[in-house]
Amino acid sequence: MSRIGVFTCHCGENIGATVDCAKVAEMCKDIPGVAYSVDYKYMCSDPGQRMMQEAIKEHKLDGVVVAACSPRMHEPTFRRAVANAGVNPYMCEMANLREHCSWVHEKGEATTHKAADLIRVLVEKIKHNEPLFPIKVPVTRTAMVIGGGVGGIQVALDIANGGHKVVLVEKSPSIGGHMSQLSETFPTLDCSQCILTPRMVEAAQHPNITLMTYSEVEKVDGFIGNFKVTVRKKARKLDEKLCTGCGLCIQKCPNKKISDEFNEGLGTRTAIYVPFPQAVPNKPVIDTLNCTFYKTGKCKVCEKLCPTGAIRFEQEDELVTLDIGAIVLATGFKLMKTDVFPEYGYGKSKDIIDGMQFERLASASGPTSGVMKRPSDGKEPETVVFIACSGSRDRSKGVPYCSKICCMYTAKHAMLYKHKVHSGKAYVFYMDIRAAGKDYDEFVRRAIEEDDVKYIRGRVSKIYEEDGKLVVMGADTLMGGEPVEIRADMVVLATAVQSNEGSEELAQTLHVSYDTYGFFAEAHPKLRPVETNTAGIFLAGACQAPRDIPETVAQASGAAAKVVGLFSNDELTREPIVAVVNRLPAPAYSHCVGCFLCLSACPYQAIEQEEIKSRSGEVIKTLARINPGLCQGCGTCVATCRTKAIDLQGFSNEQIYAELMTL
Amino acid sequence: MAEPFEPKITAFVCNWCTYAGADLTGTSRIKYQSNVRVLRVPCTGRIDYMMVLKALHKGADGIIVSGCHPNDCHYTSGNYHARRRWMVFKKMMEVMGVDMRRITFSWVSAAEGARWAQLVNEVTDQVRALGPYSEFRQIVGAGIE
Amino acid sequence: MRIGYYPGCSLLGSSREFDESTRAVLKALGVELEQVPDWNCCGASSAHILNHELSLALPARILALAEQAGLTEILAPCAACSNRLLSAQQELEKHPELKAAIEKAIEMPYQGTVKIVNILEVLDRLKDRIAEKVKAPFTKHVASYYGCLLVRPPRVVNFDRPEDPQSMDLLLKAVGATPVEWPFKTECCGAAFSVTRTDIVAKLSGKLVKDAVNRGADAIVVACPMCHSNLDLRRAEINDYLQKEYAIPAMFITQVIGLALGLDPRDLGLHRHMVPVEFTETAGVQS
Amino acid sequence: MEALKQRAIELLEKGEVKAVLGYAKGTGQARRAFFARQPGQVDKLVLDEACTQNLAAYATKHEVKKLGRVAIVAPPATQRALIQLMAERQLRDGDLAILAVDEGAIKELGSAAALEEHLALKAQGLDAKDKTLLAKLDAMSREDRWAYWQNEFSRCMKCYACRNSCPMCYCEHCTMDCNRPQWVPVASHSIGNLEYHMVRTMHLAGRCVECGDCGRACPVGIPVHLLTISAEETVHELFGQRAGAKAKLDYALSTFKTDDKESFIR
């Protein structure tokens, strides 16, 4: 027989004025199993808690119902108090006499009866409560950051400076990401390379950071604090330890006409190459698709010339498995290509370029050394048209969302162009100018007012070539829809920001959710913006949604703080409100029949398969098992299970049934 | 003279939205009728239809099932799963001839204190007008209690 | 092959040659046309601007008549007609209550089962047969001009690529012509202003004529009576506006195919054009 | 029939299967399940209009699984049940040789993929009698429907024949056997019967292959199959999917779409 104590709180006048607390306490004495019932002015006060603790000891209580305010308010308080009196904290439940009764009903018999009812229900529940213990999960204090752009670098540095090990995985040969491709950055127009390169070097030299460039995540197992991540180190065809980065191989490589990804196809590179001069690490890779040796079996010029003998033609990809405690995704974005717009000629014209290509044209380290030359014939463009929202906010052909960064970088592009070609004319076609950010609107105003960039509010319906010019046909909607025709030398499309190549596959590998457009989904759009639904996996930057640099960096530091917080303990402590699959002696083993229809009901991928094996190792039965490290305790699987093999601790079938049968 | 009929209303609510919304009703001191008894579960996803059946079994005249609005689920998708379950459950109950005017599904967020009061009042009034769910009580009476 | 035929008003009036050439070409290709009996106006231009119910009732009556005649498919060569018929059919399918009201108005049952096709769709089906039967390849540079109604709005007409259609180009290639790359395939000709604002037509269609010539076209090929009127009937205004005598003819796709099949230019109504089609007599012979 | 017998003998003789599960003559006009374990027993197999039982219900039994690979005579509903059992991981791909019977024609299907493809070609239709009854129920007032089922259930004695005949009711521990807590009263009184049938219906929504065996199994003639069939039809109407079509997990009630209709929610 249970020995339950009921403690009814007046909450001063808050409950006491509407509910006859003394009467409630009296009525509760008659509930079977209640060994003690008392009312008190303020249960949550120190004397109130002390009184409760003494009563627990004196009356040898094994369960407590505190009838006071909302459990969302004081449940932790009272559970702590109960624990201090030597009773398992999960043997304490709260009846909500204040928010759900005294504050919302009129004083009277019915309200007092309702108060007693609320208590009665929980007394019955408590009879079925089990002592629960916090779940402890050990934590491996090494983080993995996937993506080595500015976001990933920031996360890695912040975690490393917090004293924890970080593995920074980047799929291309160098860290730096898109930011390393930019010429200048808005709204300050400071050189992108100049501010990024020191960070790249810092990351490379940090004792707590291990760089894994030219590497990709292949497989992720485990759960928060205990991931096992398999990384594919793609073969650079080079012994990185021997290579000094002298660059002789690059100079002498005979194959020099390969389209250069870093320059967005506007320049060329060799078959053995580093993506850009400031690359970190400054070690080349061999592009085996274009290398003469891999194509014809002859050449090996680089191998002959390498002073340290570092070239390894026979080198193969390597798989490395790492123990990781937390993962941060910072895989960035890609731009929509210019060839998806039929009205703009499918990008057939070389002089219709995207924003990133313009960055390379404007960059001092770019293919034109920063001199404005249009790609088709190298002439200085006299008139340039910039088209914002190319593909963004376009339900019919593009993506419905706003790409967020284009308003700003288009203003920047127009300014950069005007700074380089003083006599040139710059036009911007836009839908709305979204320049919400510190110094952002001022920046756009500067482009319009000081640099004389002509902003035309309207869409461009068509671009066609005529006599060596690009005829841009549009409308000026602020002039009553007046058609506008501009004969331009170059057109820059601010194409939509899209989720990066392979992000859906990566999301599936990591079991994180993603939206229709392949952007990773945050756990809560407002309150948990840097977390994913999978515990221990966090987000930074444009892999979640279009983001600019300051936002990416801020979010990166946020994600890093989450990781450092997670790593501040040896063990993770989690509320034991988790689902459990029942276990029985052989031959049943469990009520679970292994239909796994619950699998897709779990928002957290916490349901695993567990094989029951005989002594000879033969699988007798396959059961569902719920990983307590991943389960968040929603109970959706419990309601899905036909055999009632799954139950939720703290809200078990027996507890709820008992409550229902008391109503 | 028999006492006027007061319906018994059972509400199943999720901890994070509707329960919190009902807390807000309290902190806002918005009054509503006291017929309802609230049963708290973590998520609408946890609400097994067995619970609704048992509530009817125990003589509930009206039932409220409520949780987070779509997209707002604390557990991301528990409410979406619940919604599907209710869609099928509702149709099954209709086929069985259960009076579905007595079961109300709703979304009440943690910010909708006034809406909770309104919902409870509406359901209470509606069920009071319908009278006791005697059809169901009869068959319970026919069993051995 | 037998197919229903809805000529519409244009094909009996200003664009008789479109009707003549369509009949002649399809006959040569072994297609039988069965005219929808007692057909009426499709409601283009006026009805669909002024009265929504009428804009549905008129096409619905045509389609209901076609249903009664046991037709499963009708060809509406005029782009405006086919556009109106399709729009009405789709709207009535989406709104059963409207359908009931319209059935009452036209005093006929309406099911909406008749498939509406434009001339390019029909010719496209016959492409292999056309290629086989070519007697005098039309070895000209042509600017294929689709106009707006054939491909827009895409969700209604659901035909070809709305920004950069290809079907006419492919047909023209099949009869030996070389379509020029030009940007104005679907640019506005000034359609409805043909009578009221010839100045606008001159400006808009003038752009088309000038560009087609600049890109080396010998003919502009169309599949819409309005396009044709503006490019042909209004050539004088166009030339006045452009201050230059442009002699490039505007031809219906059916006329081009007809010539290639070796049909008599008179049967194709080529003599009816304002801008003479100079190379007709020798078409296929000269290079 | 001859083709079936011939194939059955071959399978048994070559040792490809340990038994052929088919139909044999039962009492009177009835047909019963029959395991032919020797080529000589194959002659007892029959295949006619009266062979209605869904033999898939046997496929998940321990005793049958212990035999090893078994061939099973499978009319369309049985085929659907088998693929659904694979989706629910109760049968493994290749565990069975499926002798698909469609209007007399026999086709042997060895894998889930073959079965899936075979099923994709077929439209699933309801029995005319069931359709009429469902329409009749649909047309009733709610009160009449309640009265109808209460009247039907009044004959129910909870013999669980409907459950045991069902190929999808393979759980070793049924909710009905659940006593901590005792969700559904054991006794066959009104509330116990009602709750039993409600729970059975909900458990089969999205899983019912619409074979109708539960209704045929009922010794007192309650059309219990209409409940699960109408639930399955609801699932089809709402979510556009049916059980017994795919060998991969695709359970309507543990998946969702963010735009599922919710007009009933206020």
Side-chain angles (χ1 to χ4, degrees):
Chain A
M1 188 65 191
S2 316
R3 295 188 59 79
I4 295 163
V6 177
F7 298 87
T8 305
C9 176
H10 293 239
C11 195
E13 288 283 287
N14 282 312
I15 298 171
T18 324
V19 172
D20 183 346
C21 295
K23 191 174 171 193
V24 168
E26 251 338 280
M27 286 162 83
C28 289
K29 282 182 182 159
D30 298 335
I31 306 173
V34 171
Y36 183 71
S37 174
V38 71
D39 58 312
Y40 188 74
K41 203 90 185 155
Y42 287 108
M43 273 326 299
C44 62
S45 67
D46 265 357
Q49 292 192 35
R50 219 173 309 127
M51 183 196 84
M52 186 198 293
Q53 289 166 340
E54 278 157 18
I56 288 171
K57 285 174 191 151
E58 190 188 326
H59 299 278
K60 299 193 171 56
L61 302 179
D62 56 11
V64 168
V65 175
V66 184
C69 52
S70 171
R72 295 174 54 82
M73 176 94 187
H74 269 316
E75 196 176 71
T77 316
F78 289 114
R79 284 194 166 163
R80 218 178 301 126
V82 166
N84 288 339
V87 172
N88 185 284
Y90 295 93
M91 298 305 287
C92 167
E93 297 280 350
M94 283 190 75
N96 191 345
L97 298 199
R98 197 177 69 178
E99 282 86 342
H100 286 197
C101 192
S102 71
W103 275 351
V104 291
H105 303 318
E106 305 294 342
K107 182 176 180 169
E109 194 74 351
T111 306
T112 298
H113 272 281
K114 177 166 180 177
D117 275 356
L118 295 179
I119 297 170
R120 199 169 290 129
V121 166
L122 289 170
V123 168
E124 292 309 318
K125 180 180 184 187
I126 281 208
K127 289 179 186 169
H128 297 275
N129 276 25
E130 302 269 352
L132 300 176
F133 302 92
I135 296 163
K136 306 244 188 219
V137 186
V139 176
T140 306
R141 287 184 177 123
T142 302
M144 173 172 284
V145 178
I146 306 176
V150 63
I153 293 171
Q154 184 70 36
V155 179
L157 285 172
D158 284 352
I159 298 173
N161 288 334
H164 303 292
K165 297 279 179 206
V166 183
V167 180
L168 178 55
V169 180
E170 164 60 46
K171 71 175 169 190
S172 70
S174 168
I175 58 169
H178 283 312
M179 189 175 166
S180 62
Q181 290 177 280
L182 305 183
S183 54
E184 264 100 49
T185 55
F186 62 78
T188 44
L189 288 189
D190 44 358
C191 150
S192 183
Q193 285 274 5
C194 315
I195 53 177
L196 180 66
T197 314
R199 292 291 181 94
M200 290 162 63
V201 174
E202 194 187 337
Q205 292 175 348
H206 202 293
N208 279 343
I209 299 179
T210 309
L211 280 192
M212 292 182 81
T213 51
Y214 211 46
S215 300
E216 287 184 62
V217 169
E218 188 118 328
K219 195 167 148 230
V220 177
D221 287 323
F223 53 94
I224 181 167
N226 302 276
F227 294 107
K228 273 211 182 313
V229 185
T230 307
V231 179
R232 174 178 293 273
K233 284 190 73 169
K234 291 178 279 186
R236 277 179 185 262
K237 308 290 180 188
L238 186 88
D239 187 329
E240 284 177 70
K241 289 198 188 79
L242 293 178
C243 174
T244 60
C246 71
L248 194 62
C249 51
I250 300 169
Q251 280 170 34
K252 299 293 179 191
C253 177
N255 197 346
K256 296 189 195 304
K257 293 275 173 221
I258 301 158
S259 176
D260 183 358
E261 299 85 357
F262 185 78
N263 280 323
E264 298 290 332
L266 296 176
T268 54
R269 61 162 171 83
T270 45
I272 183 165
Y273 71 107
V274 290
F276 54 104
Q278 304 87 335
V280 171
N282 188 19
K283 314 257 159 127
V285 293
I286 297 179
D287 168 3
T288 54
L289 288 176
N290 286 302
C291 170
T292 314
F293 170 71
Y294 288 97
K295 287 197 329 210
T296 65
K298 285 189 202 112
C299 184
K300 290 197 174 184
V301 170
C302 47
E303 189 184 49
K304 281 168 214 142
L305 289 174
C306 179
T308 59
I311 305 290
R312 296 280 179 277
F313 284 111
E314 68 294 344
Q315 192 179 61
E316 299 211 343
D317 291 2
E318 191 188 339
L319 291 175
V320 188
T321 301
L322 301 161
D323 287 315
I324 297 293
I327 299 171
V328 182
L329 285 166
T331 52
F333 68 99
K334 68 168 185 214
L335 281 184
M336 190 181 265
K337 293 282 169 224
T338 54
D339 58 10
V340 301
F341 304 100
E343 68 274 33
Y344 304 155
Y346 290 111
K348 272 184 264 176
S349 167
K350 280 187 175 171
D351 297 325
I352 300 179
I353 59 174
D354 67 29
M356 196 55 87
Q357 288 174 313
F358 186 88
E359 295 286 348
R360 295 315 300 149
L361 282 185
S363 170
S365 66
T368 59
S369 305
V371 180
M372 269 299 141
K373 288 178 183 171
R374 67 176 195 175
S376 63
D377 52 12
K379 269 198 227 151
E380 184 182 79
E382 287 161 19
T383 303
V384 180
V385 170
F386 297 88
I387 304 176
C389 293
S390 295
S392 306
R393 302 174 67 197
D394 180 348
R395 279 175 202 283
S396 58
K397 285 192 298 288
V399 294
Y401 54 82
C402 166
S403 292
K404 200 169 189 182
I405 57 174
C406 334
C407 283
M408 290 307 295
Y409 80 61
T410 296
K412 178 188 77 178
H413 286 174
M415 270 164 124
L416 290 177
Y417 166 70
K418 291 284 286 186
H419 293 174
K420 286 172 194 284
V421 184
H422 298 296
S423 61
K425 289 198 193 73
Y427 297 88
V428 174
F429 282 91
Y430 70 101
M431 292 210 266
D432 298 290
I433 300 176
R434 296 184 167 176
K438 193 174 177 179
D439 290 331
Y440 282 14
D441 200 54
E442 295 88 324
F443 183 78
V444 176
R445 303 278 1 143
R446 230 165 80 206
I448 299 171
E449 288 158 13
E450 289 174 27
D451 292 316
D452 196 27
V453 177
K454 300 270 184 282
Y455 268 70
I456 302 168
R457 189 183 182 280
R459 303 292 295 149
V460 171
S461 61
K462 187 183 279 294
I463 305 173
Y464 62 93
E465 282 185 82
E466 195 178 72
D467 310 327
K469 292 269 184 188
L470 291 165
V471 183
V472 179
M473 292 166 67
D476 187 339
T477 56
L478 297 182
M479 298 289 283
E482 192 67 23
V484 180
E485 218 176 273
I486 294 165
R487 299 178 77 76
D489 300 297
M490 188 164 84
V491 175
V492 183
L493 304 179
T495 54
V497 169
Q498 291 180 300
S499 62
N500 216 340
E501 222 67 72
S503 50
E504 288 180 15
E505 292 78 2
L506 185 62
Q508 285 158 7
T509 307
L510 283 128
H511 306 299
V512 301
S513 8
Y514 51 96
D515 66 18
T516 334
Y517 307 101
F519 289 112
F520 302 135
E522 62 281 354
H524 191 283
K526 278 136 290 193
L527 299 178
R528 296 169 70 196
V530 301
E531 290 154 82
T532 65
N533 261 324
T534 308
I537 302 183
F538 305 92
L539 299 173
C543 60
Q544 184 197 359
R547 290 244 145 76
D548 62 15
I549 296 168
E551 281 179 330
T552 297
V553 173
Q555 201 190 6
S557 290
K562 285 280 167 196
V563 173
V564 173
L566 174 63
F567 287 178
S568 62
N569 298 301
D570 291 332
E571 287 179 321
L572 279 171
T573 308
R574 298 170 54 89
E575 273 249 42
I577 309 299
V578 292
V580 178
V581 178
N582 76 351
R583 292 301 300 269
L584 300 167
Y589 301 102
S590 168
H591 288 151
C592 173
V593 277
C595 69
F596 289 98
L597 297 188
C598 54
L599 212 61
S600 57
C602 180
Y604 304 99
Q605 282 86 31
I607 303 176
E608 308 167 341
Q609 290 186 42
E610 182 181 15
E611 292 182 337
I612 308 281
K613 288 182 178 156
S614 69
R615 274 190 205 143
S616 56
E618 189 194 351
V619 177
I620 304 169
K621 196 169 175 183
T622 309
L623 304 178
R625 196 189 91 90
I626 291 163
N627 185 325
L630 292 173
C631 176
Q632 305 280 327
C634 68
T636 305
C637 58
V638 179
T640 305
C641 181
R642 301 192 304 284
T643 59
K644 310 281 171 203
I646 317 180
D647 213 341
L648 181 62
Q649 297 190 153
F651 294 91
S652 71
N653 284 322
E654 283 206 85
Q655 286 172 308
I656 291 174
Y657 184 84
E659 287 182 76
L660 276 167
M661 286 302 158
T662 317
L663 285 171
Chain B
M1 253 326 261
E3 277 182 40
F5 166 65
E6 277 306 325
K8 196 167 150 181
I9 314 280
T10 305
F12 297 96
V13 306
C14 82
N15 180 45
W16 303 94
C17 289
T18 306
Y19 195 89
D23 276 0
L24 180 63
T25 320
T27 37
S28 319
R29 310 294 202 279
I30 302 167
K31 302 275 185 250
Y32 57 83
Q33 301 174 59
S34 63
N35 304 53
V36 70
R37 299 290 181 271
V38 168
L39 211 130
R40 180 171 72 121
V41 290
C43 176
T44 42
R46 172 69 183 94
I47 303 171
D48 192 330
Y49 44 79
M50 286 306 310
M51 297 180 194
V52 177
L53 297 184
K54 286 292 108 176
L56 288 172
H57 184 170
K58 278 301 286 183
D61 301 297
I63 288 170
I64 296 172
V65 182
S66 179
C68 307
H69 287 270
N71 239 339
D72 287 348
C73 178
H74 179 79
Y75 305 99
T76 331
S77 55
N79 58 349
Y80 287 128
H81 287 289
R83 183 169 67 184
R84 276 215 161 182
R85 202 181 295 144
W86 300 342
M87 286 161 92
V88 176
F89 177 68
K90 181 173 168 284
K91 189 69 206 288
M92 183 278 289
M93 295 288 265
E94 280 165 2
V95 170
M96 288 280 191
V98 176
D99 187 355
M100 286 306 282
R101 291 172 299 178
R102 295 174 183 277
I103 305 182
T104 302
F105 300 100
S106 178
W107 306 129
V108 174
S109 81
E112 295 175 320
R115 187 179 150 88
W116 171 251
Q118 190 197 347
L119 177 73
V120 170
N121 282 335
E122 277 174 15
V123 169
T124 309
D125 290 343
Q126 189 185 337
V127 174
R128 188 182 290 113
L130 288 172
Y133 195 9
S134 27
E135 258 177 1
F136 215 97
R137 288 189 185 180
Q138 263 166 23
I139 69 156
V140 174
I144 313 119
E145 256 301 280
Chain C
M1 186 170 150
R2 180 172 151 270
I3 193 166
Y5 187 55
Y6 173 72
C9 64
S10 290
L11 274 77
L12 298 196
S14 55
S15 299
R16 268 170 74 184
E17 67 273 29
F18 194 12
D19 178 60
E20 290 163 348
S21 57
T22 299
R23 288 176 187 276
V25 164
L26 292 182
K27 191 177 162 202
L29 294 171
V31 178
E32 238 179 275
L33 290 179
E34 185 175 327
Q35 193 158 316
V36 177
D38 190 32
W39 57 267
N40 51 272
C41 169
C42 73
S45 315
S46 7
H48 81 275
I49 296 168
L50 299 172
N51 182 328
H52 187 61
E53 199 187 349
L54 187 62
S55 79
L56 296 174
L58 288 169
R61 184 172 181 277
I62 299 163
L63 294 171
L65 286 167
E67 279 165 20
Q68 280 179 8
L71 297 168
T72 53
E73 193 172 56
I74 56 173
L75 161 65
C78 170
C81 294
S82 64
N83 206 297
R84 282 319 308 155
L85 292 173
L86 280 165
S87 300
Q89 190 178 51
Q90 284 174 23
E91 189 166 347
L92 292 177
E93 193 178 330
K94 266 184 229 143
H95 304 285
E97 70 291 350
L98 263 178
K99 177 174 165 271
I102 294 295
E103 278 184 309
K104 221 170 144 192
I106 61 173
E107 298 176 342
M108 259 185 250
Y110 165 84
Q111 292 173 339
T113 49
V114 176
K115 190 173 187 295
I116 301 137
V117 289
N118 66 37
I119 186 69
L120 294 179
E121 279 174 285
V122 173
L123 291 172
D124 185 59
R125 273 185 231 165
L126 302 164
K127 200 151 75 193
D128 291 343
R129 214 180 293 176
I130 293 171
E132 267 169 39
K133 293 197 169 201
V134 168
K135 290 204 180 105
F138 191 79
T139 54
K140 297 285 166 197
H141 284 86
V142 288
S144 41
Y145 178 56
Y146 299 76
C148 57
L149 287 168
L150 272 178
V151 288
R152 288 177 191 167
R155 97 192 109 75
V156 172
V157 297
N158 193 19
F159 169 69
D160 214 335
R161 307 201 296 221
E163 299 287 356
D164 179 32
Q166 296 294 323
S167 47
M168 203 192 303
D169 296 68
L170 294 172
L171 278 167
L172 288 166
K173 270 187 197 162
V175 296
T178 312
V180 299
E181 276 270 325
W182 79 316
F184 294 138
K185 284 180 178 179
T186 60
E187 205 61 26
C188 182
C189 69
F193 291 129
S194 190
V195 177
T196 49
R197 291 290 300 273
T198 48
D199 57 324
I200 293 179
V201 170
K203 195 171 152 191
L204 292 170
S205 287
K207 191 156 132 190
L208 303 175
V209 169
K210 185 177 152 194
D211 192 74
V213 171
N214 287 352
R215 289 181 198 265
D218 304 315
I220 303 174
V221 184
V222 302
C224 166
M226 268 79 62
C227 297
H228 191 263
S229 306
N230 284 337
L231 293 170
D232 183 61
L233 190 63
R234 299 291 170 224
R235 185 62 62 85
E237 285 87 342
I238 288 171
N239 286 348
D240 276 356
Y241 169 77
L242 294 173
Q243 304 272 305
K244 196 170 167 185
E245 287 306 305
Y246 283 99
I248 182 172
M251 299 170 72
F252 283 105
I253 176 83
T254 41
Q255 293 176 315
V256 174
I257 293 177
L259 285 178
L261 296 179
L263 304 182
D264 182 344
R266 261 200 106 69
D267 291 346
L268 299 170
L270 278 164
H271 57 291
R272 299 190 194 278
H273 287 189
M274 292 292 154
V275 181
V277 185
E278 299 276 334
F279 44 79
T280 53
E281 285 76 16
T282 49
V285 181
Q286 71 179 54
S287 65
Chain D
M1 184 66 226
E2 282 319 304
L4 175 70
K5 282 185 180 170
Q6 200 185 334
R7 185 63 194 142
I9 291 172
E10 265 172 40
L11 284 167
L12 287 167
E13 274 177 350
K14 285 190 189 153
E16 282 180 41
V17 300
K18 292 281 183 267
V20 175
L21 169 54
Y23 303 94
K25 275 202 157 82
T27 328
Q29 287 307 303
R31 301 288 177 257
R32 64 183 174 87
F34 175 70
F35 285 84
R37 302 207 197 191
Q38 312 291 337
Q41 293 173 316
V42 169
D43 217 34
K44 290 200 177 162
L45 288 178
V46 289
L47 193 58
D48 56 26
E49 293 279 292
C51 298
T52 49
Q53 193 185 353
N54 195 331
L55 299 177
Y58 290 89
T60 50
K61 301 270 184 269
H62 282 301
E63 296 82 347
V64 177
K65 283 189 169 177
K66 262 195 292 192
L67 288 176
R69 194 159 187 265
V70 168
I72 180 167
V73 176
T78 310
Q79 296 165 22
R80 293 198 296 271
L82 291 172
I83 203 157
Q84 185 64 23
L85 287 168
M86 290 181 199
E88 298 187 11
R89 308 192 197 194
Q90 302 305 308
L91 293 177
R92 276 177 313 188
D93 191 0
D95 268 356
L96 294 168
I98 298 156
L99 302 170
V101 184
D102 295 277
E103 287 159 10
I106 308 282
K107 192 173 174 192
E108 191 174 331
L109 303 164
S111 70
L115 183 53
E116 205 170 276
E117 200 179 317
H118 181 73
L119 281 166
L121 301 173
K122 283 187 298 198
Q124 187 174 339
L126 285 185
D127 194 275
K129 219 174 82 198
D130 290 344
K131 255 190 191 161
T132 324
L133 242 168
L134 278 171
K136 201 180 107 192
L137 270 170
D138 206 37
M140 281 184 197
S141 72
R142 181 198 66 76
E143 288 81 1
D144 287 351
R145 218 160 35 232
W146 173 260
Y148 172 84
W149 285 113
Q150 286 308 311
N151 180 43
E152 290 292 327
F153 293 159
S154 69
R155 300 199 303 283
C156 175
M157 53 201 168
K158 275 214 191 144
C159 68
Y160 293 138
C162 45
R163 180 183 82 181
N164 293 358
S165 70
C166 176
M168 303 321 298
C169 279
Y170 51 76
C171 299
E172 290 152 53
H173 180 86
C174 174
T175 311
M176 297 304 133
D177 312 327
C178 188
N179 56 8
R180 291 189 59 196
Q182 182 75 51
W183 283 113
V184 180
V186 180
S188 83
H189 48 54
S190 307
I191 186 74
N193 288 350
L194 175 67
E195 288 183 357
Y196 164 59
H197 288 290
M198 283 177 163
V199 171
R200 198 181 80 87
T201 308
M202 282 304 286
H203 281 189
L204 284 158
R207 301 174 59 243
C208 173
V209 295
E210 304 189 350
C211 64
D213 253 14
C214 46
R216 283 188 288 271
C218 182
V220 292
I222 306 171
V224 287
H225 61 296
L226 293 185
L227 294 169
T228 57
I229 287 178
S230 83
E232 187 59 33
E233 290 302 307
T234 304
V235 165
H236 179 243
E237 222 167 88
L238 293 171
F239 315 123
Q241 60 184 75
R242 279 185 201 279
K246 284 189 189 155
K248 247 184 79 192
L249 175 64
D250 183 27
Y251 178 40
L253 287 175
S254 64
T255 47
F256 65 89
K257 287 210 173 82
T258 50
D259 56 356
D260 282 336
K261 325 186 254 235
E262 57 164 57
S263 48
F264 67 97
I265 295 173
R266 72 168 175 200

